[in-house]
Amino acid sequence: MRVWRHLADLVASHGAAALVSVHEVKGSAPREVGARMVVRPDGAYRGTIGGGQLEFRMLDIAREMLERKERSARIVDQALGPDLGQCCGGRVKVLIETFDPQDLADLKPLLTAEAEGGAFQVECRLDHGRVRRELSSAVGDDSWTEWRETHGEALTSVLLFGAGHVGRALVLALAPLPFSIRWFDDREGAFPSHIPGNATAIALRDPEAEIAEADPHSLILVMTHDHPLDMAITAAALRRGFPYVGLIGSATKRARFEKRFRELGLSEGRIGSLVCPIGLPGIVGKEPAIVAASVAAQLLQVRERLNFSPLSASNDKSAL
């Protein structure tokens, strides 16, 4: 969710909105620091901080603040077990803020950064009860900052070759997930009329050039209508050494392709890195939607392995 865009739109259409953010977590909690939800004056909301009693209580507070036109931000400190009866056992601080039309000018830099895509850092401090935010690139003095927030989301690049039944189902499965998809097919009329916002349909002209120019951290999926084309794309992808190269097909297809890859001079290590069949082991259904769900889960696992680091895990530590 584009938090700042959604917040600004609600302020413009409803006159006010609240932002509810997980600000600090100790121990086990339903969501991580930086989980957010945007609340309308009528109580409708988008996003989640984990559901259950914690979320219900924070929604009630946000609605009350909007009704009272309360401008000062609140930090609500909750012990999930003693205070709310939730069995997570941890402790959560939740930041609740309200926004109205006089805040729209201050939101413009955040809206711009969010529209550019990817994750970005924001320096924060309390100023007369309001949270003041500046993009990290605009703050030169660390003493200004009381805490930092991460906004936006770094999308993982996926190159998907093939717009058949499984390709279409996979694009739909990935639509709400943190992936940016370049979707290729060389057939006229292969793509559906409606495509999710995180996917771009591209007429395939030179597959090897697309592979050569792709971000080296991209995930590659090959499922075209043509086995020789599958072979050429997969061989080019294996040569570059992407972190994930998946080829739709059976173990028999894999064996035939491996033989040809050896003839082409690919190393055993590169050949062994090929994921074929694609999807999580143990899911045997062959319906396109089932294959797509299995592959989407597998890509999320790969993304977690690629993205996890102590630095990324601690970006949102609060100083309050």
Side-chain angles (χ1 to χ4, degrees):
M1 175 178 67
R2 290 189 171 184
V3 171
W4 298 112
R5 178 74 272 160
H6 190 56
L7 185 70
D9 288 346
L10 286 183
V11 170
S13 61
H14 289 75
L19 177 62
V20 181
S21 309
V22 177
H23 186 68
E24 185 177 313
V25 172
K26 293 181 180 178
S28 178
R31 287 295 304 272
E32 70 286 356
V33 170
R36 299 178 179 97
M37 58 197 306
V38 180
V39 185
R40 286 189 342 200
D42 62 4
Y45 63 92
R46 186 173 179 182
T48 178
I49 59 168
Q53 290 301 313
L54 174 67
E55 185 164 292
F56 294 154
R57 184 169 293 185
M58 298 308 109
L59 281 170
D60 284 341
I61 294 172
R63 284 195 296 265
E64 290 173 5
M65 291 173 65
L66 288 167
E67 287 174 4
R68 297 173 182 172
K69 298 184 178 356
E70 192 172 320
R71 294 279 296 165
S72 292
R74 290 196 203 178
I75 296 283
V76 184
D77 190 350
Q78 299 282 272
L80 296 176
D83 295 341
L84 301 170
Q86 292 189 209
C87 60
C88 299
R91 193 174 197 96
V92 177
K93 286 184 179 180
V94 178
L95 172 64
I96 307 177
E97 308 164 74
T98 62
F99 295 82
D100 59 33
Q102 62 187 304
D103 299 307
L104 290 176
D106 292 335
L107 296 183
K108 286 183 179 179
L110 301 172
L111 288 166
T112 300
E114 190 176 60
E116 290 173 352
F120 59 97
Q121 295 289 313
V122 177
E123 311 294 318
C124 307
R125 65 180 297 171
L126 282 175
D127 184 6
H128 296 91
R130 300 287 294 168
V131 178
R132 190 174 158 202
R133 291 179 172 88
E134 297 284 350
L135 296 176
S136 292
S137 58
V139 176
D141 184 0
D142 285 344
S143 66
W144 186 92
T145 302
E146 294 180 34
W147 75 91
R148 291 181 175 86
E149 296 175 345
T150 299
H151 289 270
E153 190 166 35
L155 303 180
T156 299
S157 172
V158 173
L159 272 66
L160 171 59
F161 294 89
H165 295 301
V166 175
R168 289 183 175 216
L170 183 56
V171 166
L172 292 177
L174 296 179
L177 301 176
F179 297 99
S180 175
I181 307 158
R182 289 173 60 81
W183 191 14
F184 300 95
D185 202 291
D186 62 355
R187 298 169 294 172
E188 186 175 351
F191 297 108
S193 57
H194 298 288
I195 296 173
N198 66 335
T200 303
I202 302 167
L204 182 62
R205 298 288 179 260
D206 187 345
E208 294 193 12
E210 295 291 348
I211 290 292
E213 295 169 6
D215 185 306
H217 303 294
S218 297
L219 313 183
I220 312 298
L221 279 154
V222 184
M223 49 184 72
T224 79
H225 59 96
D226 182 77
H227 276 208
L229 182 57
D230 280 356
M231 175 76 72
I233 295 170
T234 306
L238 290 174
R239 283 194 187 95
R240 276 209 65 189
F242 293 98
Y244 177 95
V245 179
L247 170 68
I248 198 168
S250 63
T252 300
K253 180 178 180 180
R254 179 186 182 116
R256 290 176 177 172
F257 273 47
E258 284 185 350
K259 181 176 183 296
R260 180 58 180 148
F261 292 152
R262 292 186 181 97
E263 292 171 355
L264 292 172
L266 271 70
S267 70
E268 290 299 322
R270 292 291 171 88
I271 294 172
S273 70
L274 175 65
V275 179
C276 180
I278 54 175
L280 296 180
I283 300 177
V284 297
K286 295 184 179 180
E287 296 93 331
I290 292 177
V291 175
S294 178
V295 173
Q298 188 174 56
L299 295 185
L300 285 170
Q301 288 182 334
V302 175
R303 184 178 187 274
E304 288 294 320
R305 291 199 298 270
L306 292 175
N307 289 354
F308 179 78
S309 71
L311 178 61
S312 64
S314 60
N315 277 340
D316 275 325
K317 294 302 181 184
S318 168
L320 282 187

